[in-house]
């Protein structure tokens, strides 16, 4: 019933926007999501079961709310992009967005691994459609191919593992499997550990299997970039949180240590790559890889502190990266380029946007008292407790994050505007201001009420 109401409310978007009145839809969906926030306090202490196939708990409810919250914001950010499209194209776009939201919510609410896998893969279809049909450049087809091949190659080992789990235990229920796999022989568990997490590592993405992400972000429309960074990447973390307890006795395996070392190395390397980027969306995409790589390492430690820190980072990064892509699109709509050597001086051209850029980047660099800071400091302490050597990597990565965040603000907001871009625009549009505000409000709420995303 909950899923049906969310889907129907989202589909009501089609009629208002076609008639150029998006405010009604934004208000409707935002009010609906606020209602979900107020009714999910019980998820923090007990599981809410809708049926034997669907339920919500303290891990899935914040991610489900995040998916519902970002749907109207994606549509507001895409208003200018869809302005010149035909009515049919607008309806296709809104239908795809609605279907993507529905599949994401179902992914976070099912409690059977087989259904989770189906929903996990179903999100690929609307995402590919957004990139291929509404992307701006020819390279969108190559980006879609990368996205599809990486996702499918990672999903095959996961499907194999789920079939083995179902055959050996006789069930695919997430909670039951956590308790029933102890009797399975060591060889099978070790094999599952190596092949089960591949699909989640690619979706996160883990460094070395991340090449699809920058391409997908660069070629996707703003709605695709926002939902990809904010929610789709978090599906990998959610899968790790659900799958890792099944293999808890094997958390000290050499394979696990190698993956964690690769994740930490990826955090450092992608932070250095960000300093070399000239494409604004590519820089934000590599920044997501850096944050999610550290999150992967923290989840694999499997302690209460590391899990809570990783979850804090997942939720906070989802809102922050979505806001960054929305702001990048604001610049692109006015300059028609993402090259940071050309998009200079927007502090002079558009003073009102400077505040949102600073708030977004301060959150991205994990400055106190943001939720990003709380998540990062908990992950750093957890990693330090696991191995003191990780202090060197995390310290350098933290400094690098601050450097490329400030570098982005300086390159886009400061300096002298280029000759072809000297007309002051004075302020952002009302829809852009609303979009930014609706990203900052949840981040502020989590600072004052961190218990709403407490999972341990």
């Amino acid at each position: 019933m909950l899923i049906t109401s969310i889907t129907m409310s989202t589909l009501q978007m089609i009629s208002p926007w076609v008639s150029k009145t998006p405010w009604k839809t934004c208000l409707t969906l935002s009010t609906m999501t606020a209602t979900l926030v107020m009714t999910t306090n019980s998820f923090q202490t007990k599981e809410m079961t809708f049926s034997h196939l669907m339920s919500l708990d303290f891990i899935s409810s914040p991610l489900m709310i995040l998916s519902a919250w970002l749907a109207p914001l994606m549509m507001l950010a895409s208003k200018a992009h869809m302005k010149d499209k035909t009515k049919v194209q607008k309806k296709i776009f809104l239908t795809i967005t609605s279907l993507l939201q529905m599949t994401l919510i179902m992914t976070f609410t099912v409690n059977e691994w087989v259904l989770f896998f189906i929903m996990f893969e179903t999100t690929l279809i609307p995402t590919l459609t957004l990139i291929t049909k509404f992307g701006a450049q020819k390279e969108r087809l190559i980006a879609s191919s990368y996205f599809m091949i990486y996702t499918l190659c990672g999903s095959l080992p996961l499907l194999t593992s789920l079939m083995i789990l179902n055959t050996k235990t006789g069930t695919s229920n997430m909670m039951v499997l956590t308790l029933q796999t102890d009797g399975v022989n060591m060889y099978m568990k070790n094999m599952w550990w190596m092949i089960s997490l591949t699909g989640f590592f690619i979706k996160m993405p883990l460094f070395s299997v991340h090449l699809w992400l920058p391409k997908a972000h660069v070629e996707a429309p703003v709605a695709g970039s926002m939902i990809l960074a904010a929610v789709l990447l978090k599906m990998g973390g959610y899968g790790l949180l659900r799958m890792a307890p099944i293999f808890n006795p094997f958390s000290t395996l050499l394979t696990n240590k190698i993956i964690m070392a690769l994740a930490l190395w990826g955090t450092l390397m992608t932070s250095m790559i960000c300093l070399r980027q000239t494409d604004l969306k590519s820089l934000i995409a590599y920044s997501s890889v850096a944050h999610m790589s550290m999150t992967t390492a923290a989840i694999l430690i499997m302690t209460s502190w590391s899990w809570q820190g990783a979850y804090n980072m997942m939720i906070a990064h989802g809102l922050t990266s979505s806001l960054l892509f929305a702001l990048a699109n604001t610049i692109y709509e006015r300059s028609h380029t993402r090259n940071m050597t050309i998009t200079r001086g927007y502090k002079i051209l558009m003073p009102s946007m400077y505040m949102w850029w600073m708030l977004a980047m301060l959150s991205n660099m994990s400055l106190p008292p943001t939720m990003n800071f709380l998540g990062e400091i908990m992950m750093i302490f957890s990693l330090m407790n696991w191995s003191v050597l990780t202090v060197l990597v995390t310290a350098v990565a933290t400094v690098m994050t601050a450097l490329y965040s400030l570098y982005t603000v300086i390159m886009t907001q400061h300096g002298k505007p280029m000759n072809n871009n000297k007309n002051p625009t004075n302020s952002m549009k009302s829809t852009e201001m609303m979009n930014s505000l609706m990203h900052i409000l949840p981040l502020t709420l989590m600072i004052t009420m961190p218990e709403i995303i407490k999972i341990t």
Side-chain angles (χ1 to χ4, degrees):
M1 178 131 182
L2 176 64
I3 303 302
T4 303
S5 63
I6 292 174
T7 306
M8 292 303 295
S9 299
T10 308
L11 288 173
Q12 289 175 2
M13 170 58 169
I14 295 177
S15 177
W17 197 4
V18 172
S19 60
K20 300 182 179 180
T21 56
W23 295 102
K24 178 180 177 182
T25 299
C26 183
L27 180 62
T28 300
L29 293 181
S30 299
T31 303
M32 176 194 68
T33 309
T35 304
L36 287 175
V37 173
M38 290 186 290
T39 57
T40 51
N41 290 333
S42 60
F43 300 160
Q44 306 304 318
T45 56
K46 62 181 180 180
E47 182 178 350
M48 178 174 285
T49 302
F50 303 119
S51 70
H52 68 285
L53 297 178
M54 302 182 70
S55 63
L56 278 175
D57 60 7
F58 47 85
I59 296 179
S60 57
S61 58
L63 289 169
M64 186 269 292
I65 294 170
L66 180 65
S67 303
W69 183 264
L70 286 172
L73 304 185
M74 292 164 49
M75 297 171 184
L76 280 181
S78 303
K79 183 182 178 183
H81 177 71
M82 301 299 296
K83 183 178 180 180
D84 299 327
K85 304 294 184 180
T86 64
K87 181 181 287 190
V88 174
Q89 289 176 320
K90 292 177 181 178
K91 288 186 176 181
I92 292 174
F93 173 78
L94 295 167
T95 303
I96 292 171
T97 306
S98 302
L99 291 174
L100 179 58
Q101 184 199 23
M102 181 185 69
T103 53
L104 285 171
I105 292 174
M106 292 186 69
T107 301
F108 296 130
T109 53
V110 296
N111 55 18
E112 293 281 337
W113 275 113
V114 175
L115 286 177
F116 172 81
F117 177 82
I118 294 173
M119 292 296 106
F120 186 81
E121 293 305 310
T122 303
T123 57
L124 176 67
I125 300 173
T127 308
L128 280 177
T129 307
L130 279 177
I131 296 174
T132 55
K133 185 170 181 60
F134 297 99
Q137 304 178 75
K138 294 186 298 183
E139 288 78 5
R140 66 184 184 274
L141 299 177
I142 300 176
S144 299
S145 300
Y146 270 67
F147 182 35
M148 181 177 64
I149 293 172
Y150 269 87
T151 302
L152 292 180
C153 288
S155 299
L156 289 175
L158 176 60
L159 179 61
T160 304
S161 173
L162 294 179
M163 293 299 101
I164 295 174
L165 279 170
N166 190 58
T167 302
K168 292 292 182 179
T169 62
T171 181
S172 61
N173 186 279
M174 293 181 177
M175 298 299 105
V176 175
L177 282 176
T178 305
L179 304 174
Q180 284 194 359
T181 54
D182 291 334
V184 182
N185 63 75
M186 296 278 290
Y187 173 76
M188 292 300 297
K189 265 190 119 171
N190 194 10
M191 183 178 67
W192 288 340
W193 175 253
M194 297 175 66
I195 69 175
S196 298
L197 306 182
T198 305
F200 302 134
F201 289 150
I202 291 175
K203 189 68 75 173
M204 285 289 287
L206 183 68
F207 182 73
S208 74
V209 288
H210 70 285
L211 296 179
W212 64 270
L213 184 64
K215 292 181 178 294
H217 272 308
V218 169
E219 304 304 330
V222 59
S225 295
M226 288 174 65
I227 198 66
L228 187 62
V231 184
L232 288 175
L233 300 189
K234 309 307 175 289
M235 289 169 57
Y238 176 76
L240 285 178
L241 290 172
R242 292 298 193 191
M243 181 70 78
I246 298 177
F247 307 98
N248 190 30
F250 291 80
S251 59
T252 57
L253 284 175
L254 177 61
T255 307
N256 192 32
K257 296 179 181 178
I258 293 174
I259 294 173
M260 293 176 65
L262 179 61
L264 291 173
W265 177 249
T267 302
L268 183 60
M269 292 301 296
T270 49
S271 298
M272 296 176 66
I273 291 173
C274 287
L275 291 171
R276 300 180 60 250
Q277 295 299 308
T278 57
D279 188 296
L280 187 55
K281 289 185 72 173
S282 181
L283 186 148
I284 301 172
Y286 276 108
S287 173
S288 298
V289 177
H291 285 101
M292 290 299 101
S293 292
M294 183 179 290
T295 301
T296 302
I299 292 175
L300 294 181
I301 295 177
M302 298 187 194
T303 63
S304 58
W305 259 63
S306 65
W307 272 33
Q308 186 62 62
Y311 200 78
N312 290 347
M313 178 58 73
M314 284 168 58
I315 301 297
H317 175 265
L319 292 164
T320 303
S321 59
S322 177
L323 175 58
L324 287 173
F325 279 113
L327 293 172
N329 181 69
T330 301
I331 292 179
Y332 178 75
E333 289 177 352
R334 288 158 175 80
S335 63
H336 303 291
T337 181
R338 295 187 302 266
N339 194 315
M340 289 189 292
T341 60
I342 300 176
T343 56
R344 305 292 297 273
Y346 271 88
K347 182 181 178 182
I348 300 172
L349 298 174
M350 197 184 301
S352 60
M353 187 171 63
Y354 183 66
M355 176 186 69
W356 301 115
W357 266 107
M358 285 302 300
L359 289 175
M361 280 304 178
L362 290 177
S363 180
N364 189 62
M365 71 173 71
S366 303
L367 193 76
T370 61
M371 184 54 64
N372 303 65
F373 169 76
L374 180 60
E376 188 163 309
I377 202 70
M378 292 179 75
M379 289 192 296
I380 289 175
F381 276 111
S382 299
L383 289 167
M384 183 176 64
N385 185 59
W386 177 69
S387 175
V388 180
L389 296 178
T390 59
V391 175
L392 297 175
V393 178
T394 53
V396 175
T398 302
V399 173
M400 289 289 182
T401 303
L403 287 177
Y404 69 70
S405 298
L406 294 175
Y407 162 76
T408 305
V409 173
I410 292 171
M411 289 295 290
T412 57
Q413 305 300 309
H414 295 266
K416 185 178 180 181
M418 301 295 287
N419 293 331
N420 60 347
N421 195 20
K422 286 190 175 181
N423 296 322
T425 54
N426 296 324
S427 64
M428 302 169 68
K429 299 176 183 177
S430 57
T431 53
E432 295 167 342
M433 294 285 284
M434 174 62 74
N435 201 343
S436 301
L437 179 63
M438 297 298 281
H439 281 93
I440 294 297
L441 283 178
L443 288 171
T444 306
L445 178 64
M446 288 189 294
I447 295 172
T448 57
M449 299 175 59
E451 66 271 10
I452 63 177
I453 57 172
K454 182 180 180 181
I455 65 171
T456 57

